[in-house]
Amino acid sequence: MLLLQQFYKAQVDADADKKIKAVAGKATLYKRSSTKHWQVRFKLANGKWHSQSTCTEDKDEAITNAEYIYQTVQIKTEAGLTPIKKTFKQIAVDELANMAQAMASGVGKRTYRDYIFAINKYLIPFFGHYTIEKITTELVRDFEGWRIAMMGKVPMQSTKRNHSSAYIRVINLAKELGVISSTRVVPMLDSNGERSRARPAFTDEELSEVIAFVPSWIESAYTARTRLMRILCGAYIEFLVNTGIRHGTEALPLRWKHLQWHWIGEKKYLRIWVSGKTGPRYLIAKHEVIAVLEKIMLWHELPYATLDDLIDAKLDKLIFRLTSGEQISNMENIFRNLMKRSKLMYDSGGQRRTLYSLRHTYATRALAKGVDIHTLARQMGTSVLMIEKHYSKITPMLSAEKLA
């Protein structure tokens, strides 16, 4: 058997590493030791090299096929088409790698995270197996309808802009790589969507009503586990509305070691280190947060006499977890149950409240107290532009006494 294998291998590799001139010397035929088919290679008018399999083991047939391949590629090149075939997914994966590398080296833009999400969640799943030249206006229209079905709503203008920008990055990379001609027109995504509306928040009275309702809501739990989850949710709500921190991505990963005291003279303030979508930052929590953290400390039965001792210990444990140590992932569902039971699910404009409504409530209350938008933007880890976009309409109402 071994002799037969060696004989067969010798037969296959007989022409390995040989090179033959073809197409009147304009192309080279060669055979790799790892494949049995002849390959053809020649230089394009733009100076780039083109390689392709002739799909045959026979040398004479390979020479004939090389002639056909050479002529076909030349015709495509002259017509502004590209001989290179890559799917949208293949190019998109390269662009994802480019953005990841830029972010790792510290030169990536903040919007790259949004682009990466859009490419993975929407663009690759829909356009992935198409080559760029197969993307038509009709296909783009189909994508618009598919996206609405996937999201369950018409996307906001900001969302559509992010998706469009991510899509353009992939198309531009295709042109840079020579996958499509730099002059080729590719249908673009529509970036016009529904304009953002004022985000749902709580009034001071509604917020007081929610917090007052929490104890009875906890006691009405059907199981011991549900009761524990509601206790945690109650503390989570008070923490969010008094810090302005983002639910989930910023709040849930917080650990006790991320808490510090910030001193100004003899006064101390609670400072929290946060790492979110806009990068790391420190924020100053409202004084009400101290009582919330003390309650969690006692609930977890941590071996510290005071919150000061706990902060000094730099304990590397999650703050928002059950007493068993488990961190739950369905906090939004628990909050939704609270909103339903308290009859505060919707704001006065009919918009459904979510845990993010607590962040918007924080921003609204801060503006009402006269906090300037630059300080507020830095505290919340967002831009002044975003603060102005979402809260500029309500600022005059909050300052009615000053303006009247």
Side-chain angles (χ1 to χ4, degrees):
M1 176 64 80
L2 181 62
L3 289 174
L4 287 174
Q5 289 176 340
Q6 290 177 340
F7 174 77
Y8 177 73
K9 187 175 186 299
Q11 290 295 102
V12 171
D13 295 340
D15 292 318
D17 301 321
K18 283 187 178 180
K19 293 183 179 180
I20 301 171
K21 290 295 180 181
V23 198
K26 298 175 184 177
T28 300
L29 282 173
Y30 61 97
K31 183 181 284 189
R32 299 190 187 99
S33 56
S34 59
T35 181
K36 56 186 180 180
H37 290 163
W38 287 92
Q39 309 288 315
V40 61
R41 184 171 184 261
F42 51 88
K43 185 176 285 189
L44 301 174
N46 59 10
K48 295 183 179 180
W49 288 92
H50 178 77
S51 298
Q52 189 172 331
S53 172
T54 63
C55 300
T56 181
E57 303 175 53
D58 183 78
K59 182 171 64 176
D60 293 333
E61 189 177 350
I63 292 173
T64 302
N65 289 354
E67 181 80 32
Y68 172 77
I69 291 170
Y70 181 85
Q71 297 298 337
T72 301
V73 169
Q74 295 302 320
I75 292 171
K76 283 187 174 182
T77 303
E78 291 173 7
L81 303 175
T82 174
I84 304 172
K85 296 292 183 183
K86 276 194 173 184
T87 63
F88 183 95
K89 180 178 179 178
Q90 289 174 312
I91 303 162
V93 167
D94 288 341
E95 181 56 25
L96 288 172
N98 291 341
M99 289 189 286
Q101 184 178 5
M103 291 168 65
S105 61
V107 297
K109 297 179 181 179
R110 292 177 177 178
T111 52
Y112 282 7
R113 294 181 187 273
D114 295 329
Y115 296 161
I116 290 171
F117 176 81
I119 290 171
N120 283 320
K121 180 72 174 179
Y122 296 102
L123 300 184
I124 288 179
F126 186 86
F127 294 109
H129 67 280
Y130 291 97
T131 56
I132 302 297
E133 61 265 23
K134 295 294 184 181
I135 298 178
T136 62
T137 302
E138 290 74 20
L139 187 63
V140 168
R141 287 201 198 101
D142 289 344
F143 169 74
E144 304 285 351
W146 174 83
R147 180 172 57 186
I148 291 173
M150 291 294 293
M151 297 179 70
K153 62 180 181 180
V154 177
M156 291 293 182
Q157 192 174 60
S158 58
T159 300
K160 296 187 79 172
R161 277 201 300 266
N162 277 333
H163 291 191
S164 178
S165 296
Y167 176 85
I168 289 171
R169 292 187 69 88
V170 177
I171 300 303
N172 287 343
L173 180 60
K175 292 182 177 181
E176 290 175 19
L177 296 174
V179 175
I180 57 173
S181 168
S182 59
T183 59
R184 186 178 182 85
V185 177
V186 180
M188 293 291 109
L189 301 187
D190 177 23
S191 59
N192 296 316
E194 183 178 345
R195 291 188 175 275
S196 300
R197 296 181 290 173
R199 297 180 172 183
F202 294 91
T203 64
D204 287 345
E205 294 76 14
E206 289 171 331
L207 186 60
S208 297
E209 189 177 341
V210 169
I211 293 173
F213 183 78
V214 167
S216 62
W217 175 62
I218 292 172
E219 293 305 316
S220 67
Y222 294 112
T223 67
R225 178 177 171 79
T226 301
R227 185 176 187 278
L228 292 175
M229 291 192 295
R230 289 184 178 184
I231 290 173
L232 183 61
C233 185
Y236 193 61
I237 288 169
E238 291 191 64
F239 182 87
L240 293 179
V241 82
N242 285 300
T243 59
I245 195 171
R246 290 180 176 87
H247 153 60
T249 56
E250 292 183 349
L252 289 181
L254 282 178
R255 296 174 177 267
W256 293 103
K257 67 178 182 179
H258 295 147
L259 308 179
Q260 299 175 7
W261 291 117
H262 176 67
W263 292 86
I264 300 180
E266 296 183 355
K267 290 186 176 181
K268 67 179 182 180
Y269 304 87
L270 184 64
R271 183 170 72 172
I272 305 175
W273 185 89
V274 177
S275 181
K277 66 184 275 189
T278 57
R281 73 182 188 281
Y282 278 110
L283 63 83
I284 299 296
K286 294 175 73 66
H287 296 304
E288 289 86 344
V289 170
I290 295 173
V292 175
L293 294 172
E294 288 174 339
K295 286 191 291 186
I296 296 175
M297 180 185 72
L298 293 173
W299 186 50
H300 286 172
E301 298 181 345
L302 298 176
Y304 302 95
T306 65
L307 183 62
D308 293 64
D309 294 337
L310 177 52
I311 290 175
D312 289 341
K314 300 188 183 302
L315 183 64
D316 190 16
K317 286 188 176 181
L318 292 167
I319 297 175
F320 296 106
R321 58 185 176 86
L322 299 178
T323 52
S324 63
E326 176 192 357
Q327 186 171 62
I328 58 177
S329 59
N330 61 336
M331 196 74 85
E332 190 70 67
N333 293 338
I334 301 168
F335 179 78
R336 189 180 300 116
N337 179 270
L338 172 59
M339 292 295 95
K340 184 177 179 180
R341 296 285 295 277
S342 64
K343 296 181 171 52
L344 288 167
M345 179 71 79
Y346 301 95
D347 69 358
S348 58
Q351 294 190 82
R352 183 190 293 269
R353 291 187 172 108
T354 67
L355 278 170
Y356 270 93
S357 298
L358 299 168
R359 177 171 161 87
H360 309 321
T361 300
Y362 173 87
T364 302
R365 296 171 84 194
L367 290 170
K369 286 189 174 182
V371 176
D372 67 272
I373 60 174
H374 296 276
T375 300
L376 183 60
R378 192 171 187 82
Q379 167 85 351
M380 296 182 68
T382 188
S383 65
V384 171
L385 182 63
M386 290 300 289
I387 295 292
E388 290 178 335
K389 176 181 177 181
H390 293 296
Y391 302 104
S392 60
K393 293 181 181 178
I394 64 173
T395 304
M397 308 304 114
L398 297 173
S399 305
E401 184 63 31
K402 296 178 182 179
L403 296 171

